Every structure is written in structure tokens, then in C-alpha cells.
Amino acid sequence: MSDLLKQLEAMAVQAEAELATATTSDSSEAWYRQYLGRTGEMTTALRGLGQLSREERPVVGKAANQIKQRLEAALQERQDAIRQAEMEAALSAEGVDVTLPGRSQNVGRIHPSNATLREISQIFGQMGFQVYDAPEVETDETNFTLLNMPDGHPARDMWDTFYTTTPGVILRTHTSPGQIHAMRDYCPQPIRVILPGKCYRHEDVTARSEMMFHQVEGLVVGRNITFSDLKGTLVNFVNQMFGEGRSLRFRKSYFPFTEPSVEVDVDCVLCGGSGCRVCKYTGWLEILGAGMVNPVVLQNGGYDPSQFSGFAFGMGPERIAMLKHGVDDIRYFFTNDVRFLERVG
Ligand code: PHE
């Protein structure tokens, strides 16, 4: 074996030993420069081939090339291993820790007032009532006059409201003006609608009253509609809303737009009838006002009172939700404390 070949072989053995200790991309790069790079030891030694005789050159050249290829292959293998190890290290350092507790998402829900409105709509829907949308911004005429409360009528005192800078334009104090809109829309067809929505009153805010609250108005107009129809409808509603077997009380009352008029109470679930702050120590909770549509109102809606009759009622869903869920203060509905919103509805 030629001296050159011996020298190359010895160099290769040493290079291979060194390569085995390279554990990073940087050290394998440095190894490449030291042996195989343009000025590397192997490259320089191979230049010695030029000094060999014609006979020696092809034999030694071939063997020398094989040594060089051996080193190149060893480097490739080493670099692959290093890259693999570096990738695994990076992955395990940056990886997702699946044992960490997750971040919980807050899930929204329907507001208790709206949940109650939906429940009420569903019950009346089964009885064939449709939902009729009426405006919250009303006129003095529809809110009062056409409901049989002309200017100066003492009953107007029961419904003080918020006035706008436009004369005669007010926020509605009840959903009853919707009766006029529905009648004028439907006349001369028979009517069976509920009118849910917000109402406004200028009064002291207490555990029982807010200046904004919801109401659901009911209106039925047709031929031969009687007080029994009103009673049957309400008894059916209360049984579905509060469960069978609740006590129901009809008290005679007065509303300018109904004649005769009643107020309807359900026994107070909060105190079981023994008396508490919410039921004003009576054992009863008023849930709605109702009555037979006053002939004057029928006429204002376009119906001939000698041919048509009807009944109407108006209830407060917040009060109903208070009864169902044992809430003792209506103000909780509008202060948006999530502890309340998550518990009720
Ligand atoms: N609008 C009345 C109120 O707000 C309730 C009511 C509606 C009474 C329909 C009778 C008929 O108090």
C-alpha cells in the first residue's frame, strides 16, 4: 500500500472517531471544515495524488476516493441523527402539556325575563294565540285616550310615565295600547294575540316595582266571547305555568279599558300564604289585571260592540318569575348580577 494511502486511511480512522463525539449541528459543521472542506485535511492530502506515478495513480486514486466517500457517508448519517435529536429536544421543550387544566369558557344564557316571556308565549301559543309586536314609544292618545282615559281622567294618575320633548309622545306605561294597534290591524277579523314587551313607569323603585319592566298583554276579540272564556284561559295558563293545583283568586277591580274588570292572584309560593315582604303580608301575589274589553275601546279599535265582544289581560313576567323562583326583589332582574342571572331562568 502506498504511503499516501496509509496516511489517508489513518486520517480517516481518526476523523471517524472524532465524528462520533460530535453531538450538535455546529460541531459536525466544524468537523466538515476540518476534513472535507476546501482547505480540509482530507482535501489537501488528496492533492498528493498528482505526485504519484502513472501506474499508481488510478489504483491509489480509486482507494482514496472510497475513503473520502466513506467519510462523507458517515457525516451524512451523523448529521441526520443530530437533526433528529435536536428536533425531539425542541418538541419536548415547547410541546403542549396535556395534563394542564383547561381554561373554562363562560356560557351565556337567556335572561330570566326573556326566559319567562318565552315560557308564557309557548303556553298561549298552544291555545292558539299569536304574538303581536307593538311599539314601546307611544302617543298619549293610544296609551290613554283611546283606552277610555281622556285628558284629565283620574285613572291617568295610576300610570305616570316618561315624557319626550315631542308633545304627546311618551313611553308606554303598559302594553294595553297594543290592543288598539292590533284591533285596527285585524278589524273586522276575530283576534287572539298576546303582546309582550317593555313598559315604563315614573315611580319609586322598590322591591315590588321598577321603572322599566315587561308585560304580556292578551287580547281576544270575536263574536260571543264571554267572561267564562277569560276565566278558562287564565286557569289553564296558571296551571301550566305554576303546576296543577295552585290557588287562583279573582278580585273585582277597575280599569277604564275593561268592564267588568278583575285582578287575579296566585297563592304566594315564597311564604306559602302566611305573608311576606313580596306578597305584602297578604299570602297572595297579584299576577295580572284583566276584564272584558270596554265597548268604547272596541269601538276605537273599529269593532261594533253590538256584534263583537272580547277579553283582555295584562301580566308582569318578572312578577311571575319571582313567584316561580322565589325571588324577593324585582330589582335583581335589571342590576345584572351574574350570580342572580345564572340561578334564575
Ligand atoms: N294595563 C293594565 C296595567 O298595566 C293591565 C290590564 C291589561 C288590565 C288588560 C286589564 C286588561 O295594569
Side-chain angles (χ1 to χ4, degrees):
M1 200 195 272
S2 80
D3 287 348
L4 177 58
L5 217 48
K6 276 190 201 143
Q7 187 202 335
L8 289 176
E9 180 59 36
M11 187 189 291
V13 170
Q14 198 201 329
E16 281 166 335
E18 277 177 31
L19 184 61
T21 67
T23 51
T24 65
S25 302
D26 283 350
S27 54
S28 71
E29 288 284 322
W31 182 92
Y32 173 81
R33 279 193 301 277
Q34 190 185 343
Y35 291 103
L36 298 174
R38 218 153 43 81
T39 58
E41 289 174 31
M42 196 72 186
T43 315
T44 312
L46 283 171
R47 288 201 189 107
L49 279 171
Q51 261 96 68
L52 296 178
S53 68
R54 268 174 165 268
E55 298 78 47
E56 268 185 316
R57 211 183 293 162
V59 188
V60 176
K62 190 176 174 208
N65 248 331
Q66 282 170 350
I67 293 174
K68 192 186 171 202
Q69 281 165 6
R70 205 173 85 205
L71 287 185
E72 282 170 347
L75 175 66
Q76 187 64 54
E77 198 181 309
R78 190 75 211 138
Q79 281 180 332
D80 286 349
I82 289 170
R83 224 172 279 130
Q84 181 72 25
E86 284 178 344
M87 197 168 76
E88 274 165 20
L91 278 178
S92 69
E94 298 162 10
V96 178
D97 182 351
V98 293
T99 64
L100 280 175
R103 290 191 197 107
S104 65
Q105 287 278 334
N106 283 332
V107 178
R109 59 168 69 204
I110 308 290
H111 187 277
S113 296
N114 288 328
T116 313
L117 281 173
R118 288 187 185 192
E119 220 177 316
I120 294 170
S121 302
Q122 207 217 333
I123 293 170
F124 282 105
Q126 286 170 357
M127 291 190 262
F129 284 74
Q130 289 185 305
V131 172
Y132 187 91
D133 255 331
E136 287 172 33
V137 180
E138 268 295 355
T139 59
D140 180 282
E141 191 187 22
T142 339
N143 194 79
F144 295 117
T145 312
L146 294 173
L147 291 174
N148 199 26
M149 277 182 279
D151 239 354
H153 193 290
R156 284 184 173 223
D157 285 352
M158 284 168 25
W159 291 284
D160 192 9
T161 187
F162 297 94
Y163 294 82
T164 68
T165 46
T166 311
V169 176
I170 61 172
L171 299 187
R172 67 177 176 189
T173 57
H174 49 177
T175 43
S176 300
Q179 289 187 31
I180 299 292
H181 293 296
M183 284 194 258
R184 289 186 170 181
D185 245 16
Y186 277 97
C187 187
Q189 308 293 321
I191 302 177
R192 200 188 295 167
V193 292
I194 54 168
L195 305 97
K198 291 191 179 77
C199 302
Y200 304 83
R201 287 194 196 166
H202 184 222
E203 51 184 41
D204 287 340
V205 174
T206 67
R208 296 181 80 245
S209 58
E210 260 284 2
M211 57 189 187
M212 190 282 290
F213 53 94
H214 293 87
Q215 274 192 350
V216 179
E217 189 89 5
L219 175 68
V220 173
V221 177
R223 294 173 198 272
N224 306 314
I225 301 291
T226 67
F227 197 91
S228 309
D229 297 317
L230 167 63
K231 226 174 157 181
T233 304
L234 293 179
V235 167
N236 183 34
F237 166 71
V238 167
N239 279 336
Q240 290 206 52
M241 193 70 189
F242 298 100
E244 304 280 336
R246 298 306 302 264
S247 303
L248 205 59
R249 183 170 78 165
F250 285 74
R251 275 182 293 113
K252 62 185 188 308
S253 184
Y254 171 75
F255 298 104
F257 33 92
T258 46
E259 180 60 36
S261 304
V262 288
E263 279 172 302
V264 179
D265 305 336
V266 179
D267 54 331
C268 180
V269 274
L270 217 62
C271 61
S274 62
C276 68
R277 188 156 71 110
V278 171
C279 64
K280 276 192 180 164
Y281 304 96
T282 62
W284 293 97
L285 222 122
E286 179 199 329
I287 54 164
L288 56 90
M292 300 308 290
V293 181
N294 191 303
V296 173
V297 178
L298 279 175
Q299 212 149 27
N300 289 339
Y303 289 87
D304 176 356
S306 70
Q307 300 292 312
F308 287 89
S309 57
F311 68 78
F313 56 85
M315 66 179 80
E318 278 85 23
R319 187 148 300 169
I320 285 168
M322 286 166 81
L323 257 175
K324 277 193 75 152
H325 303 290
V327 178
D328 67 355
D329 196 320
I330 195 173
R331 290 168 292 194
Y332 285 128
F333 285 88
F334 308 112
T335 41
N336 286 338
D337 184 331
V338 288
R339 289 168 301 180
F340 171 76
L341 299 177
E342 282 174 356
R343 197 174 71 78
V344 177

